[in-house]
Amino acid sequence: MKVPRILLAAGASGSGKTLITCGILQALINKGVKPCSFKCGPDYIDPMFHSKVIGAKSRNLDTFFAPEHIVRWILADNCRDCDIAVIEGVMGYYDGLGGTSTRASAYDVARVTDTPVVLIVNAKGMSGSAAAFVKGFKEYRTDSHIEGVILNQVSPMIYQGLKAHIEEECGARVLGYLPKVTDCLLESRHLGLVMPDEIENIKEKLQKLSEIIEDSVDLDALVELAKGAPDVEVSKPTGAAFDFHTEGKYPVKLAVARDEAFCFMYEDNLRLLQKMGAEIVEFSPIKDEKMPENVSGLILYGGYPELYAKELEANKPMRDSIAAAATGGMPVLAECGGFMYLHESLEDNEGKAYEGVGVIEGKAFKTQRLGRFGYVTLEDEGGEFLKGVEPGPIPAHEFHYFDSTSNGETMTARKPVGSRSWKCMHQSENIMVGFPHLYYYGNPKVPAAFLAKCEAYGRKRG
């Protein structure tokens, strides 16, 4: 399949990838080009900024979560009817599992999808050393895919000299630069950038950023580079683990929490549920008085419940509604922030405790550092929820500053590098909840088991 595409990478986090990616997306739209966007890795927040620009949901490409042919299929499937795919890298370009492997890095995504890469270089305080930086990244792997460069925080006075020097020394085309900007920056907090809707005048800031990029980046050359990408070899997922011949098999209605407190979700997770037949009904545990009616299942994804713990406690009718559904047999999936909300109590960001739903006996509490974070593989230890499914390895991800007095013990989480492991996940006949985030394309047996339970619950309830 022909997919014009480009991957924007950098040498390290904090180099300006998200800022420049959003600016380029808006600039392309201003030129009448229709982009789609992706984020390498398991990040939730950066795709929200992409979506704020393009008006459509951004997706994730992750070579730990999914096999290589699935990653290519997700890329191609989400690019239909678009002119160009813009992929934002993760961390440093070669940063992968265990700190030394390139697996699951932005480079790995470029390799798997055969995508041309533009290296963003934060050249603040650099001159000729910028060429050494580019040369090192370009030659670190013979198939680096690095074909272009954008310089960040560079003055127009030294840009032309740096451009000529880098192109002569490195054989990579310098496509432009971004001067130092102060009024378009994106703020961060403990799990990454703040939410797009929390930034005042976000659309105006991104429009201003795009105008700067239109003046300083050769967008025509960027599009030309993307159009030169090889065709993507695409094969539709098949086999027992990807049971796509049962598309539409589970015609159930699901309640999915989505608001300021619960906003960390992979759009491809929701899309896969819909492919399997589910109808998604969104609701807000903060603002709505009760769960949607006539639903057969509930999903509580992650987010920032600690920032809205007071509001969540104040909405007792909603907490009672969720507790009644869970204790009444409705199938429930919850992860990270959603799992915290189900506790008897959860702390806010200052350590003050508030009442939760009460389905999980225990409390979710604030810690001072990331305790369990990064990729893991879950191994089911005979939990009731997946009984008879034999799911095999389940790829997942953890990233949280909070912990629980009751993490669950029905699964073992193992790090992909090293020997570290721990117990996690609560399972019962109708509940599977815990801190790990799941990516359903990594093991579709899990969402299929959930939907089968939802269908059985719906039939029982009439």
Side-chain angles (χ1 to χ4, degrees):
M1 180 175 173
K2 186 66 176 176
V3 181
R5 60 196 182 279
I6 201 79
L7 192 153
L8 301 173
S13 296
S15 298
K17 291 191 300 293
T18 303
L19 189 73
I20 291 176
T21 298
C22 289
I24 287 175
L25 286 168
Q26 185 64 63
L28 290 170
I29 291 173
N30 294 348
K31 288 173 64 68
V33 177
K34 184 179 179 181
C36 57
S37 68
F38 299 86
K39 172 70 179 182
C40 297
D43 189 276
Y44 292 99
I45 300 176
D46 292 355
M48 295 183 195
F49 281 90
H50 300 180
S51 299
K52 181 62 70 172
V53 177
I54 66 176
K57 300 304 182 184
S58 182
R59 313 288 177 167
N60 293 74
L61 299 174
D62 193 302
T63 53
F64 175 81
F65 277 157
E68 294 182 3
H69 71 288
I70 301 297
V71 173
R72 288 190 291 270
W73 182 80
I74 290 171
L75 169 65
D77 190 50
N78 285 296
C79 285
R80 302 180 191 279
D81 303 321
C82 291
D83 299 321
I84 183 175
V86 178
I87 307 168
E88 181 188 345
V90 57
M91 299 175 64
Y93 183 48
Y94 294 107
D95 295 340
L97 300 182
T100 56
S101 169
T102 59
R103 186 189 169 199
S105 65
Y107 157 76
D108 207 26
V109 172
R111 177 189 64 80
V112 166
T113 60
D114 205 4
T115 296
V117 174
V118 174
L119 185 67
I120 296 170
V121 179
N122 186 350
K124 181 181 179 181
M126 285 187 186
S127 55
S129 295
F133 186 92
V134 173
K135 193 176 185 70
F137 271 83
K138 193 172 187 298
E139 298 181 2
Y140 182 70
R141 287 288 186 271
T142 56
D143 62 343
S144 70
H145 288 79
I146 295 174
E147 299 184 33
V149 175
I150 292 176
L151 301 174
N152 189 20
Q153 297 203 71
V154 168
S155 74
M157 291 185 296
I158 69 168
Y159 169 67
Q160 289 299 332
L162 268 182
K163 170 181 167 67
H165 182 59
I166 291 171
E167 290 181 340
E168 180 181 356
E169 291 287 341
C170 307
R173 186 175 180 181
V174 180
L175 302 175
Y177 71 99
L178 188 69
K180 183 177 180 180
V181 295
T182 57
D183 53 355
C184 301
L185 299 178
L186 307 178
E187 298 177 8
S188 297
R189 63 169 159 233
H190 58 284
L191 294 182
L193 297 173
V194 300
M195 298 293 100
D197 290 336
E198 296 178 65
I199 299 177
E200 187 176 357
N201 301 320
I202 178 67
K203 292 291 287 185
E204 290 81 356
K205 289 184 177 181
L206 292 174
Q207 183 61 46
K208 182 176 181 180
L209 176 64
S210 73
E211 292 169 0
I212 296 172
I213 285 178
E214 287 174 28
D215 289 337
S216 60
V217 174
D218 189 344
L219 292 172
D220 291 335
L222 189 76
V223 172
E224 177 188 343
L225 185 59
K227 287 182 176 179
D231 290 356
V232 179
E233 294 185 10
V234 182
S235 58
K236 191 172 182 180
T238 58
F242 296 92
D243 198 10
F244 280 85
H245 69 272
T246 60
E247 287 188 15
K249 180 178 179 180
Y250 304 106
V252 299
K253 187 180 291 188
L254 302 180
V256 176
R258 192 197 286 257
D259 59 15
E260 301 92 326
F262 305 101
C263 50
F264 291 177
M265 58 194 73
Y266 297 120
E267 291 300 326
D268 273 314
N269 278 3
L270 299 180
R271 190 175 185 192
L272 181 55
L273 292 172
Q274 290 168 329
K275 280 179 176 288
M276 291 177 169
E279 177 187 347
I280 305 298
V281 182
E282 297 181 357
F283 73 103
S284 170
I286 294 177
K287 301 167 186 172
D288 296 331
E289 291 188 357
K290 61 180 180 178
M291 285 177 50
E293 295 182 354
N294 301 318
V295 295
S296 300
L298 167 65
I299 302 180
L300 294 162
Y301 289 120
Y304 285 112
E306 66 271 22
L307 301 182
Y308 301 93
K310 182 178 180 180
E311 292 86 345
L312 291 169
E313 180 190 68
N315 194 349
K316 189 174 185 302
M318 174 59 74
R319 290 190 289 114
D320 291 345
S321 174
I322 291 175
T327 56
M330 179 180 290
V332 178
L333 291 181
E335 55 190 41
C336 205
F339 170 57
M340 290 166 54
Y341 177 52
L342 292 179
H343 282 64
E344 292 175 313
S345 70
L346 69 154
E347 292 182 351
D348 66 8
N349 223 23
E350 283 69 50
K352 182 179 178 180
Y354 292 86
E355 287 187 28
V357 173
V359 172
I360 300 298
E361 295 182 3
K363 66 177 182 178
F365 59 92
K366 175 77 179 293
T367 69
Q368 299 304 312
R369 61 185 179 87
L370 287 169
R372 301 182 302 278
F373 66 95
Y375 294 113
V376 294
T377 299
L378 302 179
E379 300 171 0
D380 186 42
E381 302 289 357
E384 188 69 22
F385 192 88
L386 295 176
K387 186 176 181 180
V389 175
E390 298 182 2
I394 304 170
H397 181 263
E398 288 198 36
F399 193 91
H400 49 90
Y401 283 84
F402 283 71
D403 208 336
S404 168
T405 59
S406 180
N407 282 294
E409 297 188 345
T410 65
M411 289 190 181
T412 297
R414 296 191 187 279
K415 296 293 291 180
V417 177
S419 58
R420 189 181 178 205
S421 66
W422 57 86
K423 298 293 185 182
C424 62
M425 304 299 291
H426 288 268
Q427 291 188 64
S428 67
E429 175 63 31
N430 66 300
I431 292 175
M432 191 174 87
V433 300
F435 270 114
H437 298 276
L438 306 185
Y439 184 78
Y440 298 162
Y441 279 97
N443 192 326
K445 289 184 178 181
V446 176
F450 170 65
L451 293 181
K453 288 181 177 291
C454 293
E455 186 181 40
Y457 174 83
R459 286 198 308 268
K460 182 178 180 180
R461 295 293 299 268

